[in-house]
Amino acid sequence: MKKLLKRIAAVNDLSTFGKCSLTVVIPVLSAMGYEVCPIVTSYLSAHTGFENPANFDLSHTTKDITSHLEKLGVDFDAVFTGYIPTVFQMEDIKQFMIKNKLLKKLIMVDPVLGDDGKLYTFFDNTTVKKMRELCLYADVITPNYTEACFLANLPYKEMLTKENVRTLIDKLNAFGMANKIVITSVPVEDKTCMVVSEFGELEIIECEYVEGIYCGAGDVFSSILLGKLLEGQNIMDSALYSHRALTEIIKETHALGGTWEQGLVYEKFFKFMIDKS
């Protein structure tokens, strides 16, 4: 099937209200010039930061959807996974990833598991083990610091030394994780940092402090990162660009009086792209 643009299979949940997951991934990557094909893992009335959202688990649909796409001959340039609610669905997604990995497609996993040192309430250690399996087939993973600790089976610490960061990366590599790792929100020696690693080499990058915490920030960061990688940028330049863009989006959202629940005004990213082109 002829492609007019590079095509991404985006595996994630969809919320009607509250900007996160697919309601971030699709517009951001579309604005960067990609065709985004969603594989919806669950459908919610609003994201789980709101009280008692209607939530429809679509685990039973994944295998049929990916099988039909294969029959159609739909060719992807990348597979990008985010929130996957069940280990049953993770297994179906893993098989889809393996098939694309064999075709030498870019595989990026945003291993959604938890934050602030804790797993999300609907996940457990079985989920963590299954997520490790997915990360074995990824070229790039983008955990936050909490998720990196669970994947590496290391205790969560409120503050790290540079030696602790080295241990974290080494443990992820020992598990056979992706060759390219970007860890966000890492507390290193009283600073909030981003850690970028490629084939075991690492850089610790201090992040500019900006006021405001918003749902979907990780989705924005990972989406931009993937877009830059598919442009042919290296992992360091892609991560730095993504951080700069996200910083500008957070500043704009804060200036407009945005709330955590509603998420980022990522539409301003489109202006950022034009200004930086």
Side-chain angles (χ1 to χ4, degrees):
M1 187 174 292
K2 183 179 179 181
K3 285 189 295 186
L4 302 179
L5 299 169
K6 286 186 177 180
R7 184 179 293 141
I8 299 165
V11 182
N12 218 323
D13 67 281
L14 177 66
S15 295
T16 294
F17 185 70
K19 297 176 182 176
C20 65
S21 305
L22 286 173
T23 53
V24 169
V25 172
I26 294 172
V28 169
L29 283 167
S30 295
M32 296 182 76
Y34 300 103
E35 179 185 356
V36 185
C37 303
I39 299 174
V40 185
T41 58
S42 64
Y43 177 50
L44 300 91
S45 56
H47 65 67
T48 54
F50 292 94
E51 187 176 358
N52 298 323
N55 188 347
F56 301 92
D57 179 4
L58 300 180
S59 294
H60 62 286
T61 68
T62 308
K63 191 171 184 178
D64 288 342
I65 289 170
T66 56
S67 294
H68 187 237
L69 292 172
E70 290 168 16
K71 289 177 182 177
L72 291 175
V74 180
D75 180 35
F76 296 103
D77 295 278
V79 176
F80 176 24
T81 73
Y83 172 71
I84 306 173
T86 67
V87 293
F88 171 77
Q89 192 176 40
M90 286 182 181
E91 179 60 30
D92 288 340
I93 295 302
K94 185 181 80 172
Q95 297 306 316
F96 179 66
M97 289 169 56
I98 291 171
K99 290 176 182 177
N100 280 274
K101 180 80 170 179
L102 292 171
L103 295 171
K104 301 189 183 303
K105 309 303 181 181
L106 179 64
I107 310 295
M108 190 165 99
V109 173
D110 184 3
V112 178
L113 289 169
D115 207 354
D116 297 323
K118 299 177 182 177
L119 291 175
Y120 294 129
T121 55
F122 33 83
F123 288 154
D124 56 22
N125 287 332
T126 302
T127 314
V128 175
K129 291 178 182 178
K130 198 66 179 179
M131 186 61 78
R132 284 196 196 110
E133 288 186 31
L134 293 189
C135 292
L136 294 177
Y137 298 98
D139 299 295
V140 186
I141 60 172
T142 59
N144 62 33
Y145 168 54
T146 293
E147 291 159 346
C149 289
F150 277 106
L151 290 172
N153 196 27
L154 289 174
Y156 178 92
K157 297 182 178 181
E158 294 295 333
M159 193 60 58
L160 301 181
T161 64
K162 291 180 180 178
E163 290 74 19
N164 294 148
V165 175
R166 175 76 266 173
T167 299
L168 177 60
I169 292 297
D170 288 345
K171 193 67 180 293
L172 291 171
N173 288 333
F175 271 116
M177 300 289 172
N179 291 324
K180 299 179 177 67
I181 301 171
V182 180
I183 310 175
T184 56
S185 304
V186 185
V188 184
E189 299 178 352
D190 294 321
K191 299 179 179 66
T192 299
C193 299
M194 173 174 64
V195 175
V196 182
S197 174
E198 184 171 19
F199 296 103
E201 300 295 321
L202 70 87
E203 293 286 342
I204 300 172
I205 301 156
E206 182 179 349
C207 296
E208 177 185 353
Y209 172 77
V210 287
E211 192 170 357
I213 300 174
Y214 300 96
C215 180
D219 299 311
V220 172
F221 177 86
S222 295
S223 297
I224 299 171
L225 180 73
L226 176 60
K228 299 306 289 184
L229 289 171
L230 285 173
E231 287 178 5
Q233 299 293 316
N234 63 46
I235 189 68
M236 179 60 71
D237 289 344
S238 298
L240 289 172
Y241 180 94
S242 302
H243 171 63
R244 289 195 302 270
L246 179 59
T247 299
E248 293 303 313
I249 294 167
I250 292 174
K251 287 178 180 177
E252 190 70 34
T253 303
H254 180 71
L256 292 170
T259 64
W260 178 85
E261 292 87 353
Q262 288 178 288
L264 291 164
V265 184
Y266 56 71
E267 294 84 352
K268 296 295 181 178
F269 170 61
F270 307 152
K271 181 178 183 300
F272 179 87
M273 285 200 310
I274 293 170
D275 290 345
K276 297 297 180 181
S277 63

